[in-house]
Amino acid sequence: MSTEATLLERCENKCELCSAQTTLTPYVVAPHSNVTVDHAIMLCETCKSQVEDPATMDVNHWRCLNDSMWSQVAPVQVTAWRQLKHLSAESWAQDLLEMMYLEEDIAKWAEIGMDDDAEKPRDVNGVELKKGDDVTVIKDLPVKGTNQVIKQGTVIRGISLGDDPRLVSGKTNGGQSMYVIAEFCRKK
């Protein structure tokens, strides 16, 4: 039996997070990279797109984690924990996180994936910023050590990323080079 067939049998042809009975595809839970029964889950398109791009997250869709977090399948537990962690500003998600129990090795697996997300520069909306992106400054920012202010709406083109994931650098239309904290920018 193929890996995908085994996964479909395990999940009874339902999304392993929300139980939707639509088209399912395998999703490999990071940091793993191969589709195996022990490292992948079957997800509907809605769950998969929101797991892969947290900026598109529909908070109410994830109330389904109330059920799936109790799964005995390790990659389902890891993904449920990570999604609840992303949603921890919501009181219901924080309550579920506090109730959830993970074995020590599964908890380490879940946290490893969260560390990867923390190391990426993200804009005010949580969208990952990449080298070459254009960003807009969202509020007036004082420049350290001077009386200058970077005005709200300033566009920084072709950003570069350094060692500090909180900072991005680039040039304005006027050719001025600057460093800005990523969370004070919005990706264009």
Side-chain angles (χ1 to χ4, degrees), residues 124-168:
V124 68
N125 297 319
V127 175
E128 181 183 345
L129 298 174
K130 294 184 173 44
K131 182 178 179 179
D133 285 346
D134 295 343
V135 296
T136 304
V137 177
I138 61 163
K139 69 179 200 172
D140 289 353
L141 299 172
V143 178
K144 251 186 190 175
T146 71
N147 290 335
Q148 293 180 320
V149 174
I150 301 171
K151 294 288 187 187
Q152 176 181 348
T154 300
V155 176
I156 302 172
R157 302 211 180 274
I159 64 169
S160 297
L161 309 175
D163 293 335
D164 186 345
R166 297 176 311 127
L167 297 177
V168 297

Side-chain angles (χ1 to χ4, degrees), residues 41-106:
I41 58 177
M42 295 302 282
L43 295 181
C44 67
E45 187 54 41
T46 302
C47 287
K48 187 172 187 211
S49 65
Q50 292 183 40
V51 166
E52 290 175 342
D53 185 5
T56 64
M57 198 175 294
D58 172 11
V59 175
N60 287 322
H61 174 77
W62 293 106
R63 290 185 181 268
C64 62
L65 295 174
N66 189 39
D67 296 325
S68 57
M69 69 184 236
W70 302 111
S71 171
Q72 296 300 307
V73 179
V76 174
Q77 293 173 354
V78 168
T79 307
W81 185 87
R82 288 178 183 171
Q83 289 305 102
L84 288 170
K85 206 68 167 148
H86 283 300
L87 294 163
S88 60
E90 301 288 326
S91 60
W92 62 266
Q94 187 61 46
D95 291 345
L96 293 179
L97 260 177
E98 290 172 8
M99 285 191 291
M100 194 169 184
Y101 172 77
L102 297 176
E103 294 290 336
E104 189 175 332
D105 57 330
I106 295 171

